[in-house]
Amino acid sequence: MEPDIIQNSIQSAPKEDFGPNLIRLKVTNQIKELQTVIHDRNTSRSDFRFYADRLIRMVVEEGLNQLPYQKHSVVAPSGFSYDGLRFEEGNCGVSIIRSGEAMEKGLRECCRSICIGKILISRNDETHQAAEVMYVNFPVDISRRKVLLMSPVLSTGNSIVKSIEILLEYNVKEEKIVVLTLFATPQGIKTILNQFPMVKVVTSELNTFSPMHFGQRYFGTE
């Protein structure tokens, strides 16, 4: 029966409580299938991008739920008033080059005119530590914005930690940063939230390993 599909296919991961600032997508059969295709080494590049884009869209949509809204009333074509919501002004995205750029399309599909900045961080291949900030291009008023920081894979968390440090140097408030990632490890989450407890992290999966091939597969640079 369908309910058993998910129960039998989930891999074991540490049952650790990371608090309310870790937001995981509810695991459905559809999401598990997307994750499976992305993890599968036999997946073609065209299928990889197609399924990755679908999962990115889901993570982005949940990330948008973490942004501030305000009450807003409109008049329907029938003439009736409708009491709803709209985004508060001042949101932007920041992608960690290069794999983070894969998530820009999904964000723009949801927020057509949103500003997107970029940050490039070099990494020491031996220590896997974020070594140096090579390039930064942020909106000039980023200090007043809520930031969606995008990186599809969160393994050690070091690159994201370095990116958050740079955002703080640009006077972005810690509580205004939301990390969007498809796949995260418990250690990576712990690294980020221990240093920045007011940052939120949205992910589709928490597992002891992550698909480090994501950027190469998505952009065809294997």
Side-chain angles (χ1 to χ4, degrees):
M1 296 177 65
E2 283 193 359
D4 293 331
I5 297 176
I6 287 298
Q7 293 170 6
N8 293 336
S9 63
I10 294 178
Q11 296 182 346
S12 59
K15 302 295 184 181
E16 188 168 353
D17 182 10
F18 291 97
N21 281 4
L22 172 62
I23 297 99
R24 296 178 62 184
L25 300 187
K26 180 181 178 181
V27 181
T28 64
N29 291 339
Q30 177 183 197
I31 286 177
K32 198 63 181 178
E33 183 199 18
L34 300 179
Q35 295 166 340
T36 302
V37 173
I38 293 169
H39 280 296
D40 188 353
R41 64 181 180 182
N42 295 318
T43 298
S44 67
R45 179 171 174 256
S46 61
D47 281 349
F48 185 94
R49 290 195 60 155
F50 178 78
Y51 284 86
D53 284 341
R54 287 181 59 195
L55 189 57
I56 288 169
R57 178 69 177 262
M58 293 178 179
V59 170
V60 167
E61 294 278 11
E62 183 54 44
L64 296 177
N65 281 330
Q66 309 308 315
L67 298 180
Y69 289 79
Q70 62 186 16
K71 293 181 179 180
H72 182 63
S73 297
V74 298
V75 178
S78 61
F80 289 100
S81 177
Y82 180 82
D83 296 327
L85 297 173
R86 69 176 177 186
F87 281 122
E88 292 184 4
E89 294 183 0
N91 303 313
C92 74
V94 170
S95 60
I96 301 177
I97 301 172
R98 180 178 188 196
S99 60
E101 293 175 307
M103 303 182 72
E104 293 181 7
K105 176 174 175 285
L107 180 57
R108 290 199 186 280
E109 287 176 347
C110 298
C111 303
R112 191 175 301 171
S113 59
I114 194 169
C115 295
I116 296 180
K118 296 178 186 290
I119 184 168
L120 174 61
I121 298 173
S122 66
R123 189 180 72 167
N124 187 313
D125 290 332
E126 294 182 0
T127 64
H128 301 291
Q129 297 291 319
E132 183 181 358
V133 178
M134 306 294 292
Y135 173 78
V136 171
N137 184 10
F138 294 156
V140 293
D141 60 347
I142 194 169
S143 63
R144 297 191 289 109
R145 294 176 179 267
K146 188 97 169 183
V147 176
L148 298 172
L149 181 60
M150 300 179 290
S151 180
V153 177
L154 193 168
S155 182
T156 64
N158 293 326
S159 293
I160 290 178
V161 165
K162 189 67 174 179
S163 299
I164 293 173
E165 291 174 348
I166 298 303
L167 287 170
L168 296 180
E169 289 179 10
Y170 276 74
N171 297 316
V172 177
K173 294 181 179 179
E174 183 179 321
E175 63 270 21
K176 290 189 174 182
I177 300 172
V178 180
V179 176
L180 304 184
T181 186
L182 305 186
F183 304 97
T185 66
Q187 183 57 49
I189 294 293
K190 188 180 299 183
T191 297
I192 293 170
L193 295 183
N194 281 350
Q195 294 190 51
F196 309 106
M198 290 185 287
V199 167
K200 291 184 178 180
V201 181
V202 179
T203 187
S204 82
E205 183 176 85
L206 188 63
N207 211 327
T208 52
F209 69 92
S210 55
M212 300 305 295
H213 61 279
F214 186 96
Q216 292 87 346
R217 293 294 306 277
Y218 191 92
F219 292 108
T221 57
E222 299 102 322

